Amino acid sequence: MTHAGDVDAAHPGELVVVTGMTGAGRSTAAKELEDLGFYVVDNLPPSLLPDVVKLVDDGVGAAQGIAVVVDVRSGSFFHTLHANLAQGAIGRRTTLVFLDAADDVLVRRQEAARRPHPLQGSGRLLDGLQRERQVLADLRSDADLVIDTTSLNVHQLTDRIGEAFGSPVTMRLSVNVISFGFKYGIPVDADFVADMRFLPNPFWVPELRASTGRDAPVSDYVRAQKGAEEFLDGYVPVLAGVAEGYLREGKRFMRVAVGCTGGKHRSVAMSEEIGRRLAAEGLEVRVTHRDLGRE
């Protein structure tokens, strides 16, 4: 059990439950939450969660943020965690964070660490991962924030945790609009995926090929194509409506993925415009370009 000393948590009174796949970065997330001022408990049996909250409330105060890391080593206790979170039985505003990654990446990380999977028994490492996915399926579907660490290094994961929990509590929804290239794979942690390949590709316009969707000539070209403005006029209100529903249900994060072939022109231009329009609706918006510069 560790705590953050004299650092004040940025989210007073919040309980963050970190879970997810073995090798997906739970320890990294826990260290960053500790640096952000949370009282951190690693490998906590979920049945003890109410006791930890009471101990912190009595000893430090109800304003102290708490973060607990729960993994499959807790075994049958998982159903207790799921039930408590679903019923709001903990008594604190709770955010469930689920860390995930592609199986091949998780296998490489475990092999590099020279550690067996806790559920593999006498089978293969991959067998353990598949059993773990089954155990965690309900928690993943209920998570407030899913972070896919497949292509993230330690520093990038730390940044993601900092973005989510390093600022004061706000009732505004945090929306991440991320452009990507389909040839590099769809972001698995996206709540919505939009395909911009219905628009002509600026790559085939010689004077635009070297530019990106951040550049005005490419952005103007993309938005001038038939169907582009109609798509924006229809899609952004849908996202804004869903955002209102997310807030009513207590969700504070939404990830919108916008793709094209390579993630350089169409998806970038449209992501920028979607982000601008959502910000104009009063949402807290961050636009990132996953594959820009990758070609």
Side-chain angles (χ1 to χ4, degrees), residues 185-252:
I186 298 174
V188 298
D189 53 354
D191 298 300
F192 298 90
V193 177
D195 187 350
M196 296 299 103
R197 292 176 295 184
F198 73 95
L199 298 171
N201 193 347
F203 178 85
W204 302 113
V205 181
E207 59 269 27
L208 299 179
R209 181 174 299 176
S211 300
T212 76
R214 281 178 162 175
D215 299 317
V218 173
S219 179
D220 292 344
Y221 174 87
V222 171
R223 293 184 55 194
Q225 301 306 308
K226 183 178 180 180
E229 288 298 318
E230 290 83 353
F231 171 82
L232 290 166
D233 291 343
Y235 193 53
V236 172
V238 170
L239 294 176
V242 171
E244 292 179 4
Y246 270 27
L247 282 173
R248 288 193 299 269
E249 293 300 314
K251 292 182 177 291
R252 296 191 294 111

Side-chain angles (χ1 to χ4, degrees), residues 219-288:
S219 179
D220 292 344
Y221 174 87
V222 171
R223 293 184 55 194
Q225 301 306 308
K226 183 178 180 180
E229 288 298 318
E230 290 83 353
F231 171 82
L232 290 166
D233 291 343
Y235 193 53
V236 172
V238 170
L239 294 176
V242 171
E244 292 179 4
Y246 270 27
L247 282 173
R248 288 193 299 269
E249 293 300 314
K251 292 182 177 291
R252 296 191 294 111
F253 309 100
M254 185 167 77
R255 285 174 64 80
V256 180
V258 182
C260 63
T261 303
K264 179 178 180 180
H265 296 110
R266 293 165 290 181
S267 63
V268 173
M270 296 293 273
S271 291
E272 291 285 346
E273 181 59 17
I274 289 171
R276 187 190 68 78
R277 295 191 184 197
L278 288 175
E281 296 285 336
L283 296 169
E284 180 183 342
V285 181
R286 177 172 174 261
V287 180
T288 57

Side-chain angles (χ1 to χ4, degrees), residues 154-203:
V154 171
H155 303 294
Q156 291 168 327
L157 175 55
T158 296
D159 288 344
R160 288 288 302 276
I161 296 296
E163 290 166 8
F165 300 104
S167 59
V169 174
T170 174
M171 291 304 294
R172 299 170 69 195
L173 184 75
S174 177
V175 182
N176 184 196
V177 182
I178 177 170
S179 70
F180 71 95
F182 276 96
K183 69 179 182 180
Y184 302 116
I186 298 174
V188 298
D189 53 354
D191 298 300
F192 298 90
V193 177
D195 187 350
M196 296 299 103
R197 292 176 295 184
F198 73 95
L199 298 171
N201 193 347
F203 178 85

Side-chain angles (χ1 to χ4, degrees), residues 3-288:
H3 62 86
D6 54 5
V7 180
D8 291 329
H11 291 237
E14 181 165 13
L15 171 65
V16 178
V17 178
V18 179
T19 188
M21 298 296 294
T22 300
R26 293 188 307 256
S27 296
T28 298
K31 290 177 182 178
E32 174 62 10
L33 286 165
E34 184 177 7
D35 289 343
L36 292 173
F38 284 83
Y39 190 100
V40 178
V41 184
D42 195 4
N43 191 27
L44 179 74
S47 58
L48 297 180
L49 193 52
D51 296 327
V52 170
V53 172
K54 186 177 187 305
L55 285 171
V56 173
D57 287 352
D58 293 345
V60 184
Q64 171 64 53
I66 303 173
V68 298
V69 181
V70 183
D71 60 43
V72 291
R73 288 174 292 177
S74 299
S76 60
F77 291 116
F78 256 98
H79 75 278
T80 304
L81 173 63
H82 192 259
N84 283 342
L85 295 179
Q87 298 169 10
I90 306 302
R92 283 190 175 217
R93 178 170 45 83
T94 303
T95 299
L96 177 60
V97 179
F98 191 98
L99 303 180
D100 203 350
D103 284 348
D104 61 326
V105 173
L106 295 175
V107 168
R108 287 199 300 271
R109 290 174 182 172
Q110 285 298 100
E111 289 178 342
R114 299 181 182 276
R115 298 182 63 185
H117 190 280
L119 296 185
Q120 77 179 78
S122 60
R124 302 173 302 163
L125 181 56
L126 186 58
D127 296 330
L129 289 171
Q130 292 172 345
R131 294 190 187 103
E132 184 176 33
R133 287 201 184 280
Q134 293 175 353
V135 172
L136 298 178
D138 287 341
L139 285 177
R140 192 189 192 287
S141 65
D142 288 344
D144 300 292
L145 177 61
V146 177
I147 301 178
D148 176 26
T149 69
T150 299
S151 59
L152 301 183
N153 59 35
V154 171
H155 303 294
Q156 291 168 327
L157 175 55
T158 296
D159 288 344
R160 288 288 302 276
I161 296 296
E163 290 166 8
F165 300 104
S167 59
V169 174
T170 174
M171 291 304 294
R172 299 170 69 195
L173 184 75
S174 177
V175 182
N176 184 196
V177 182
I178 177 170
S179 70
F180 71 95
F182 276 96
K183 69 179 182 180
Y184 302 116
I186 298 174
V188 298
D189 53 354
D191 298 300
F192 298 90
V193 177
D195 187 350
M196 296 299 103
R197 292 176 295 184
F198 73 95
L199 298 171
N201 193 347
F203 178 85
W204 302 113
V205 181
E207 59 269 27
L208 299 179
R209 181 174 299 176
S211 300
T212 76
R214 281 178 162 175
D215 299 317
V218 173
S219 179
D220 292 344
Y221 174 87
V222 171
R223 293 184 55 194
Q225 301 306 308
K226 183 178 180 180
E229 288 298 318
E230 290 83 353
F231 171 82
L232 290 166
D233 291 343
Y235 193 53
V236 172
V238 170
L239 294 176
V242 171
E244 292 179 4
Y246 270 27
L247 282 173
R248 288 193 299 269
E249 293 300 314
K251 292 182 177 291
R252 296 191 294 111
F253 309 100
M254 185 167 77
R255 285 174 64 80
V256 180
V258 182
C260 63
T261 303
K264 179 178 180 180
H265 296 110
R266 293 165 290 181
S267 63
V268 173
M270 296 293 273
S271 291
E272 291 285 346
E273 181 59 17
I274 289 171
R276 187 190 68 78
R277 295 191 184 197
L278 288 175
E281 296 285 336
L283 296 169
E284 180 183 342
V285 181
R286 177 172 174 261
V287 180
T288 57

